[in-house]
Structure formats: C-alpha cells, structure tokens
Amino acid sequence: MGHACAPRIGDGLSSLDTPSMIVDLDLMEANIKKLMSKLLPMGVHIRPHLKTTKSGILAQKLVAAGAKGGCVAKLSEAEAIIAASGFDDLLITCEIIGPVKVRRLVELYRKHRSIRTVVDSEVGASAINDALAGSGIEEPIKVLIDLDVGLHRTGVAPGESALALARHVAGLKYLKMIGVQGYEGHLQHVHDRALRERECRASMKILTETAEAFRQAGHDIQVVTTGGTGTAEFCATVPGVTEVQPGSFIFMDTDYRNAVGTFYSNSLTILATVLSKQGPRAVTIDTGLKSLTTDSGLAECKDARYQYGVLGDEHGSLTWEHDGPGLEVGDRVEMIPSHIDPTINLFDVYYAYRRGVIEECWPVDSRGKVQ
Ligand code: PLP
Ligand code: MN
C-alpha cells in the first residue's frame, strides 16, 4: 500500500514484498463460523476482543457473522477504530484513570454514546462522573464493575469491596452501572483441558454470585461479561453469563494451539524471504524481533521441517535436519506467530487472500494505540 510496487487486489501472493502479514480467508472465515455456531446456540452474546485484530473492518465482519459489538483494551484503540471505520459499539475493558484519559473518554462519549467502560475503584468512577458533570452531556455513561475473578490484574475484590463499589457507582449521577466484567486471563493457556474448565467454573462462580449479590442489593445488572479463546466455551454454558469476549480465535497462534488444540486453525502467517545461505542446512530470513514477537516462545515455520531461531531485530534463522533440497536464497516461507496480538501490532496492514490470490487489504487501525 502506498508505494509504486504496491500489491493489488487480484494479484498473487508473490506480488507482496516481505515481511508481510497475510491471512488465509478460508481459514479465518471457518474460525469465525466455528465460534459462532458453537457459542451462539448457548444463548450468550459474543463481543469479540479487538485487541487482537485492531481493525474496524474485521469488527464489522464479526458483527455480520453474529457478534454483538466489540471490546477494546484501551481508549486510544477505541478512538482509532472509530475514526477508521465508524464502528463504535465498544466496551473498553481497561480502567480509564488519570485526568487526561478521562477527558478523552468524555470527548469520545460526546460523539459516541454506545461506548461503555469498566471501573474498579471509587476514585476512578468518581473522576469519570465529575468530568461528565461538567461536560454538558446529560446521558450517563454505561459502566461495568470490573471484578477480580482470580487473575489479580485489575478488578475489585469480590464480596464486601465489590458491593461497596457498586453502591458508590449507583450513587453517581453520570454513571449507569449495567453489569459486571470478570476476566479469567490466567486460565486461557492452561493446557490441561479438564483443569482449565474446573478453574474457569470456579471463576465463573465468583462472577455470577457477585452479579446476583448486586441484584439482591437492588442494582439492575444486565451484562455479565467474561471469557477468552481458551475459556469462552465453558463460560458460555454458565447460567448468568450473558456475554463472552474471545479475541485470538480468529487467527490463533502457536501458544494457543499448544494450549487449546486445533479446533481453530492458524489463519494468519508472516510471509518471509530467504536472504542468505549460511551452510548446507541453514538460511537466514528477513523476520526478527521487529516482525515476530517472542514473549510466548519462538514463531514456527509453517513447513515444520524448518526450525526458527532469532538472529536479531531484522533477521531469523531456519535450520533443518533432512538431506536433499532445502531452502535457497529468494525462497519464501510462512511463519506462524507465537503470540498473535503483539505480533499484529508490528504491522500496518493485513493482506487477505483466498487460494493464493489477494482479495482484501485491511489497515491495522489501532496499531500502536496503547494509551
Ligand atoms: N477479555 C479481556 C479483558 C482480555 O484482556 C483479553 C485478552 O487479553 C480477552 C478478553 C481476549 O482473550 P483472547 O485473545 O485470549 O481470546
Ligand atoms: Mn494475547
């Protein structure tokens, strides 16, 4: 995109320069269909987490397939996705803290009343309320109480603390408490499926019992939202859970594949080129730390005969054991990311193809939007 050699719709993948982020549309669409047909009959809403795709176009495709809105982690992700696509049915799943961010929230909410967010402290809730009070906006913003269901990242502690926060929020004129969020992020990658389900059900018990306690205290709780790719299928069966937030399922990565299996397939790869031959069974390719993240282990070559290693910011190695023809300078390979969300954050654009032909290009709208 943008330069003289830019690929065009209808071109083959060979028209792409590398490294490029490419999406197999058949596989991606199958992942979406699998998620929808598994979870929608369970009676939950699906609000996919857009921290994975960072794309308004993909948010719209997910809604066309049955999703109800989307989640974003950060306020700036919401701003970018709305600016790019107009898609504004968004839940911001991180706390909005600090006067600058609160002001930005108010300005976003002024134009987009469908924005909702979470609070886990009285001081955080009051700051949003006070900013709205001076804004001229009469309509209260929808908020969810963020509950700690075991991740110990954000969220008010269950029990008396949660009830006290709910009471506080209910007393704020410009906040409308509509529900509870409890994200069990520590369980998403638990390899033992039975253990993952058991622990997830324990977290869901905390979440749904808290929602019930809020109702008993007179609060109108409509939304109980939770879950990711590793747990959504369990969360969706729990009475009282109304909404799940999986994100990574659409593309997957090797870390998720190793943990939860191959029900969803790896639909996104990084296309790379062999730059240099470094021995009879070793080449150097043009992906390194700037194009494949390593926090969840190393990426894998789609052709499993080749083992990947990092050779710096811009370079990686592929080595192999087999005799006979291997990789040569100019060859192309596809690399499967180990952690999809931060890897996508390294690219400006997706090239989406079907059977080798580029059908669509999607900008990564909220790339780098970490505020
Ligand atoms: N919900 C919240 C609050 C998250 O932070 C995340 C991911 O970190 C998700 C949902 C989606 O999880 P996943 O990408 O593992 O499906
Ligand atoms: Mn992630």
Side-chain angles (χ1 to χ4, degrees):
M1 287 184 127
H3 56 86
C5 306
R8 286 183 306 243
I9 306 299
D11 287 350
L13 288 177
S14 61
S15 68
L16 293 175
D17 202 350
T18 65
S20 272
M21 186 163 72
I22 61 174
V23 174
D24 184 322
L25 278 168
D26 287 332
L27 294 181
M28 184 195 86
E29 289 166 3
N31 286 346
I32 297 173
K33 199 172 272 179
K34 282 182 195 172
L35 180 98
M36 297 297 168
S37 54
K38 187 165 186 148
L39 300 188
L40 284 177
M42 296 175 178
V44 286
H45 290 145
I46 298 170
R47 185 177 281 277
H49 212 305
L50 306 175
K51 71 197 285 285
T52 304
T53 63
K54 304 163 187 64
S55 156
I57 290 174
L58 284 167
Q60 283 155 343
K61 285 183 189 288
L62 285 159
V63 166
K68 197 165 183 305
C71 299
V72 288
K74 301 294 187 75
L75 177 82
S76 60
E77 285 190 292
E79 291 171 341
I81 286 175
I82 292 171
S85 68
F87 185 86
D88 66 358
D89 185 355
L90 293 170
L91 166 64
I92 304 169
T93 61
C94 289
E95 280 66 18
I96 306 285
I97 299 295
V100 178
K101 199 169 267 97
V102 169
R103 267 204 309 278
R104 282 169 78 168
L105 175 68
V106 169
E107 288 320 306
L108 195 64
Y109 182 64
R110 190 184 296 286
K111 295 202 208 94
H112 303 278
R113 299 297 168 86
S114 50
I115 295 290
R116 50 183 70 180
T117 189
V118 299
V119 294
D120 82 349
S121 68
E122 295 189 5
V123 65
S126 290
I128 297 172
N129 183 70
D130 295 350
L132 279 167
S135 71
I137 303 171
E138 283 303 317
E139 193 181 335
I141 187 168
K142 296 187 176 75
V143 298
L144 292 86
I145 302 284
D146 186 19
L147 184 74
D148 181 10
V149 294
L151 172 59
H152 307 321
R153 183 173 71 182
T154 60
V156 64
E160 211 20 71
S161 309
L163 277 165
L165 178 59
R167 233 178 356 258
H168 177 82
V169 173
L172 297 173
K173 182 172 173 207
Y174 295 95
L175 264 50
K176 177 166 172 48
M177 185 171 75
I178 60 160
V180 195
Q181 166 178 276
Y183 177 57
E184 68 300 358
H186 57 305
L187 305 178
Q188 300 305 327
H189 290 83
V190 172
H191 284 218
D192 180 335
R193 185 184 163 87
L195 178 64
R196 192 165 75 249
E197 174 164 8
R198 198 162 61 242
E199 296 279 318
C200 177
R201 290 192 186 282
S203 287
M204 291 307 103
K205 189 162 183 291
I206 298 169
L207 179 61
T208 53
E209 284 180 357
T210 301
E212 206 38 53
F214 286 176
R215 289 190 189 102
Q216 293 295 323
H219 304 300
D220 179 18
I221 299 301
Q222 299 154 21
V223 179
V224 177
T225 186
T226 180
T229 297
T231 59
E233 62 179 308
F234 309 131
C235 302
T237 66
V238 174
V241 168
T242 69
E243 182 180 278
V244 290
Q245 314 179 347
S248 300
F249 72 95
I250 188 167
F251 299 135
M252 292 294 281
D253 53 33
T254 63
D255 198 31
Y256 249 132
R257 181 207 59 206
N258 294 342
V260 306
T262 53
F263 179 70
Y264 304 112
S265 37
N266 292 110
S267 58
L268 179 152
T269 55
I270 305 302
L271 186 65
T273 297
V274 175
L275 301 180
S276 175
K277 188 117 186 177
Q278 289 291 314
R281 293 193 182 85
V283 293
T284 297
I285 61 175
D286 58 354
T287 61
L289 294 170
K290 286 189 191 165
S291 43
L292 288 164
T293 59
T294 56
D295 59 280
S296 301
L298 294 181
E300 291 178 10
C301 189
K302 191 163 153 185
D303 183 337
R305 294 174 304 163
Y306 301 102
Q307 281 82 51
Y308 183 59
V310 175
L311 288 176
D313 293 348
E314 329 289 348
H315 298 98
S317 61
L318 287 176
T319 56
W320 60 95
E321 303 285 319
H322 64 268
D323 294 318
L327 294 169
E328 299 294 340
V329 171
D331 284 351
R332 290 187 159 207
V333 292
E334 287 178 56
M335 303 299 297
I336 307 172
S338 55
H339 188 179
I340 196 70
D341 322 74
T343 295
I344 291 170
N345 201 42
L346 301 172
F347 288 84
D348 291 323
V349 64
Y350 298 91
Y351 296 103
Y353 67 94
R354 206 183 300 275
R355 276 158 248 134
V357 176
I358 299 169
E359 274 191 16
E360 298 178 44
C361 301
W362 312 315
V364 184
D365 300 321
S366 54
R367 175 183 185 189
K369 298 295 186 259
V370 292
Q371 290 187 338

